[in-house]
Amino acid sequence: MISRKIAEDDRFVDMHPVSKLLYFYLVLNADDDGFVGSVKMINFLTNADQSNYDELLENNLILEPTKNGVYVITDWYAQNKIEPKIYKATEYLSVRALLFIKTNFAYTTNPDEKDVISPVDYWIKQGRDKKTPPEIQAQQYLEQFQETSKKVPRSVEETSKKVLAQNRLDKSRLEQNRPDQIKKEKINKENNYKYINSSSNGGMGEFLLNDNSSTSSIENNATTENGENSRENSGVNQDAVSSLFNYLNGISSTDIPKDNKRLADVFDMLIHNGYEIEDIQLGIDNIMNVANQMPQYQNEQSLAKLLIQHLPEYTKQTLEQSSSND
């Protein structure tokens, strides 16, 4: 649907007729989240060219978050309501992960806008709620994030039991459904608890640290039983660690130096524990989606601290979710 509020707005009325027609066809061909991928047929039917897309972009009627030809109808949810029974999520999930929802239920790529409620992925996961006042939804999102950040295992014994139980479950599931993952689980079984037993912070190596925890414990967690730093004995990981820094700085407005030893130790620890580079990158993505909502994490030092404290947990969750989906 297209709202009269949009079609009769000055920014729409003043556009070139082809640009208006292009907008109608983009809405007509959008998926249930307002995303349009293949546009060659639309261009043929409307005789539109790049100038028409530029005009829509300038008037904030569409967004192009990744410059890869996927366009987003900015006011999609302001104009459309799709019942949960027939709703089908977009196939462009990596693009959707870059968006935020505003109080008027329009999309934006700027997390610093004052009227942002939450990341779009979170809002959709909560049921695309348009009944609860936006300010309450924003508060609920922040409270849930803060609550998640406080979840710390109560003891080394409890932590070990939970991890061992989870590993047995993962191993059983993966052996049945994912033979190619057996090697990864064997690495976890052999190496994962070395850090728990040798860590000076009581075995928190792979788990969430609270905001008051000393980040020096992460550095200790990257130390092997004989006291030698694992990074010095695993030169093969250096390229992988460097690639993770490149990936992080590529999706962040900051430029965290590669000589940040504590963060490098976290990367190395995860690789040494058998996690794939892709798993760690997804963990970084999840943290960045949250960090972009929080002004206090907009500089290198605070963002690095956030990653040091939370990346092991988010990477672990990513792997568990992937296994569960399979």
Side-chain angles (χ1 to χ4, degrees):
M1 297 180 65
I2 297 176
S3 169
R4 287 182 60 186
K5 184 177 180 181
I6 300 297
E8 296 179 358
D9 188 89
D10 287 348
R11 59 176 174 162
F12 191 91
V13 172
D14 290 339
M15 290 195 306
H16 191 279
V18 173
S19 299
K20 297 176 186 176
L21 183 62
L22 173 61
Y23 182 79
F24 288 133
Y25 266 91
L26 288 173
V27 172
L28 180 65
N29 286 273
D31 60 27
D32 288 358
D33 283 322
F35 289 64
V36 189
S38 302
V39 296
K40 288 186 176 180
M41 179 56 72
I42 295 176
N43 295 343
F44 174 77
L45 292 172
T46 62
N47 199 30
D49 56 27
Q50 187 58 47
S51 66
N52 301 115
Y53 285 93
D54 290 341
E55 189 170 18
L56 292 176
L57 290 166
E58 290 171 4
N59 284 285
N60 197 36
L61 289 165
I62 63 173
L63 302 171
E64 189 184 11
T66 58
K67 305 300 180 182
N68 64 350
V70 177
Y71 296 95
V72 183
I73 308 299
T74 306
D75 300 289
W76 177 258
Y77 277 114
Q79 301 178 93
N80 291 275
K81 179 180 179 180
I82 302 174
E83 295 300 324
K85 291 183 179 179
I86 62 173
Y87 166 76
K88 183 178 180 181
T90 182
E91 64 181 273
Y92 305 110
L93 295 178
S94 61
V95 179
R96 196 179 75 181
L98 303 174
L99 299 175
F100 301 85
I101 199 78
K102 298 165 61 175
T103 54
N104 63 353
F105 304 107
Y107 288 129
T108 180
T109 57
N110 182 9
D112 296 325
E113 291 191 37
K114 294 181 179 180
D115 54 351
V116 164
I117 300 177
S118 71
V120 168
D121 281 351
Y122 173 85
W123 185 74
I124 290 178
K125 182 179 179 181
Q126 297 303 111
R128 299 174 295 143
D129 184 6
K130 296 174 72 173
K131 295 181 179 180
T132 305
E135 60 273 14
I136 296 179
Q137 292 193 50
Q139 184 62 33
Q140 289 173 343
Y141 167 70
L142 291 177
E143 288 176 355
Q144 183 170 15
F145 168 70
Q146 292 168 357
E147 183 64 27
T148 301
S149 300
K150 294 177 182 178
K151 292 182 179 178
V152 181
R154 297 179 182 175
S155 66
V156 177
E157 292 76 18
E158 180 182 2
T159 295
S160 299
K161 289 179 181 178
K162 287 183 178 179
V163 175
L164 287 170
Q166 183 63 51
N167 277 354
R168 284 194 295 269
L169 178 62
D170 288 347
K171 180 180 179 182
S172 174
R173 183 192 300 121
L174 293 174
E175 283 179 345
Q176 294 177 14
N177 303 318
R178 294 278 300 277
D180 57 312
Q181 291 291 326
I182 295 177
K183 183 177 180 181
K184 178 190 295 186
E185 295 304 319
K186 287 183 177 179
I187 295 175
N188 283 337
K189 181 178 179 181
E190 294 172 359
N191 296 326
N192 201 25
Y193 305 105
K194 179 187 298 183
Y195 295 107
I196 293 179
N197 293 330
S198 63
S199 171
S200 65
N201 72 337
M204 302 294 287
E206 198 186 5
F207 292 88
L208 174 66
L209 301 176
N210 63 31
D211 291 338
N212 297 323
S213 300
S214 170
T215 54
S216 62
S217 60
I218 291 292
E219 187 171 350
N220 293 331
N221 285 339
T223 305
T224 60
E225 291 174 343
N226 61 6
E228 296 177 354
N229 189 291
S230 62
R231 292 180 65 215
E232 295 176 355
N233 296 326
S234 57
V236 68
N237 288 347
Q238 294 298 325
D239 289 342
V241 170
S242 179
S243 71
L244 287 170
F245 272 103
N246 291 337
Y247 180 81
L248 170 61
N249 289 323
I251 64 173
S252 169
S253 59
T254 60
D255 187 16
I256 299 177
K258 296 181 181 179
D259 60 1
N260 187 310
K261 187 175 185 297
R262 290 177 177 173
L263 183 54
D265 285 342
V266 173
F267 288 155
D268 183 80
M269 179 186 71
L270 291 170
I271 296 169
H272 189 81
N273 280 358
Y275 290 102
E276 300 290 348
I277 298 296
E278 292 77 11
D279 297 330
I280 304 172
Q281 289 176 342
L282 287 173
I284 293 173
D285 289 343
N286 290 336
I287 291 179
M288 288 302 302
N289 286 338
V290 174
N292 287 334
Q293 284 288 299
M294 314 293 282
Q296 62 266 40
Y297 296 125
Q298 301 307 308
N299 60 71
E300 296 174 11
Q301 184 176 0
S302 59
L303 179 58
K305 181 179 179 181
L306 182 69
L307 287 158
I308 290 168
Q309 291 178 337
H310 297 281
L311 185 57
E313 182 205 29
Y314 274 80
T315 303
K316 183 173 183 290
Q317 289 178 356
T318 298
L319 184 58
E320 288 175 350
Q321 292 170 359
S322 176
S323 299
S324 177
N325 291 337
D326 291 336

